Amino acid sequence: MTELDGSPVGAGEVDAGAFDRWWDELAPIGRAGSGGYRRFAWTHEDATLREWFVGAATSLGLDVAGDRAGNLWAWWGDPDAHGDEPRGRGVVIGSHLDSVPDGGAFDGPLGVVSGLLAVQALQDRGFQPARPVGVACFGDEEGARFGIACAGSRLLTGALSPDRARSLRDAEGTSMAEAMTAAGFEPGGLGRDDEALGRIGTFVELHVEQGKGLVNTDSAVAVGSGIWPHGRWRVELVGRADHAGTTHLADRKDPMLDLARLVTGARAAAERHDAVATVGKVAVLPNGVNAIPSHVTAWLDCRADEEAAVRGVLADLREFGPAEESWTDRTSFHPALQNELVRLLGAPVLATGAGHDAGILAQAGIPASMLFVRNPTGVSHSPDELAERDDCLAGVAALTRVVEHLAGRP
Ligand code: GLV
Ligand code: MN
Ligand code: MN
């Protein structure tokens, strides 16, 4: 490990004013009545967030480029200067700006804002990177609109095929291709982008912690060790539409009863297999208060420390015919990089049940890791998601040290 020149970057060197300013600029974009955020891929809100990213990155003198997968990259230094020499590839940080329905302010944006602030802190101290430094803004991380999480990074690495992506449809029936076109992005060129991938030597994603792993510890920041195996399944429950007042109970074919069995069955199976299972989204037809539904579509999310546990839950629910929409294997972040970050920061190590673009890049063989910033309640994917300002600034300082360390040597 290369020793750092000079004193380590401390929270005092982070531009807290810039943090507040950028955070305030983002605060109204996509804000919902719940106080949470509705920032879905390829919408007007998404375009506003992308414009914000380009503006903030440009204000630091970074060069912003898109890729074939709908992600944005802001570069400090020439990302192609390494030629075919892997040792000179970029140190990339960043995260995403989209959200789940009524999501919190921190999931994603904290990593993007921290990435920009880390670059700014290093520029301010006159640091000359020996390798290019990139801040990534991944598209459609949550998959809230089209159903596939980490769609931008999966397209980038080829884990999601362009044909499948283009044909995904949102709840209104708009395809991803149509939504991209409406947003001014040409979907015909969508696909794995070897040029963009070849620029990434190392990826470190800072993210709000989404559990209670750092609560009641004296650490504001942890290093990520890995991501649980996880997936999403769709269940179609077919009934027969009829009148709510005149149809005898014995004559009904009510798919809501099957939904109830699915929900309680998933919960019981998760308890049996030491997994977590969630039915968080349903679509009911015709969705009338005085009509027995004709059809219910439900989506199941299931995760566990062990793949066998997830498979056990799904086996217990086989009568519902769950159709896999996405699957992510267990991800272990790069062990040497993890150890390096732990030594550098003196931070604890945490695994997570949440999916991240860092995991998709790691699956594609890119040395990747994560930093988690303490969440005092553990609540996430909710308007109540929180990270204290001081902890956010400590996270930026940690990320700055990481970039200084990784980019300070060829
Ligand atoms: C993304 O946040 C996920 O884990 O679903
Ligand atoms: Mn999320
Ligand atoms: Mn996230």
Side-chain angles (χ1 to χ4, degrees):
M1 181 171 125
T2 313
E3 290 305 319
L4 291 171
D5 293 334
S7 58
V9 178
E13 277 178 80
V14 175
D15 184 346
F19 176 82
D20 292 338
R21 194 174 65 253
W22 278 335
W23 209 248
D24 289 350
E25 286 171 7
L26 286 170
I29 305 173
R31 191 103 191 231
S34 62
Y37 288 92
R38 295 186 156 244
R39 296 167 166 170
F40 305 144
W42 307 110
T43 58
H44 171 70
E45 290 75 22
D46 191 41
T48 308
L49 291 161
R50 287 166 182 266
E51 271 169 38
W52 174 85
F53 177 75
V54 173
T58 307
S59 76
L60 299 179
L62 310 186
D63 295 319
V64 182
D67 63 17
R68 294 183 56 202
N71 309 300
L72 295 174
W73 308 83
W75 285 103
W76 181 21
D78 180 355
D80 299 318
H82 60 80
D84 289 333
E85 173 53 65
R87 274 160 43 91
R89 287 180 180 162
V91 174
V92 184
I93 52 183
S95 188
H96 63 97
L97 293 176
D98 65 308
S99 78
V100 296
D102 294 314
F106 298 85
D107 177 354
L110 184 60
V112 175
V113 170
S114 298
L116 295 168
L117 285 166
V119 167
Q120 186 191 46
L122 292 172
Q123 288 176 336
D124 287 352
R125 67 175 4 217
F127 176 74
Q128 301 285 336
R131 298 164 63 182
V133 176
V135 182
C137 178
F138 284 101
D140 200 4
E141 193 271 351
E142 299 286 6
R145 183 172 178 191
F146 295 103
I148 303 291
C150 298
S153 54
R154 284 186 210 266
L155 277 163
L156 173 73
T157 62
L160 172 62
S161 81
D163 281 344
R164 180 163 182 227
R166 280 189 285 259
S167 63
L168 292 167
R169 291 194 182 269
D170 69 8
E172 272 71 51
T174 304
S175 71
M176 187 185 273
E178 289 162 351
M180 285 176 163
T181 304
F185 182 84
E186 168 47 56
L190 208 58
R192 180 182 161 97
D193 191 329
D194 285 306
E195 193 181 352
L197 280 171
R199 294 169 169 168
I200 315 170
T202 310
F203 180 63
V204 180
E205 179 172 2
L206 180 145
H207 203 279
V208 66
E209 218 277 284
Q210 294 173 287
K212 295 182 179 167
L214 292 172
V215 176
N216 296 328
T217 74
D218 56 8
S219 300
V221 177
V223 174
S225 57
I227 298 177
W228 283 7
H230 59 283
R232 296 178 182 185
W233 291 261
R234 194 184 68 258
V235 174
E236 304 290 358
L237 304 168
V238 180
R240 190 181 60 240
D242 214 331
H243 195 290
T246 57
T247 315
H248 293 303
L249 293 180
D251 292 339
R252 295 178 182 218
K253 190 166 183 323
D254 185 348
M256 280 295 200
L257 297 178
D258 297 323
L259 175 67
R261 284 195 306 111
L262 171 68
V263 172
T264 52
R267 170 66 184 237
E271 285 171 6
R272 273 194 301 279
H273 292 281
D274 200 13
V276 290
T278 308
V279 179
K281 179 177 169 182
V282 294
V284 180
L285 286 175
N287 211 21
V289 65
N290 53 354
I292 298 160
S294 59
H295 197 110
V296 173
T297 305
W299 284 265
L300 172 75
D301 177 307
C302 186
R303 316 181 188 207
D305 190 15
E306 296 293 335
E307 176 173 342
V310 178
R311 299 295 174 199
V313 171
L314 267 295
D316 289 2
L317 300 174
R318 74 173 77 79
E319 66 167 297
F320 297 100
E324 187 177 293
E325 291 207 325
S326 66
W327 171 254
T328 307
D329 284 333
R330 164 192 285 284
T331 307
S332 296
F333 290 126
H334 196 271
L337 178 61
Q338 177 189 316
N339 291 339
E340 210 171 331
L341 301 192
V342 167
R343 277 202 304 271
L344 184 70
L345 303 174
V349 172
L350 280 183
T352 180
H356 298 286
D357 295 309
I360 304 301
L361 296 192
Q363 300 267 352
I366 292 172
S369 188
M370 293 191 72
L371 299 182
F372 293 122
V373 171
R374 178 164 48 199
N375 176 333
T377 63
V379 173
S380 186
H381 284 187
S382 154
D384 293 336
E385 181 184 83
L386 188 64
E388 300 292 355
R389 181 173 177 272
D390 282 352
D391 287 354
C392 293
L393 297 178
V396 177
L399 185 65
T400 309
R401 289 194 70 188
V402 167
V403 176
E404 183 179 51
H405 176 66
L406 296 175
R409 57 191 179 174

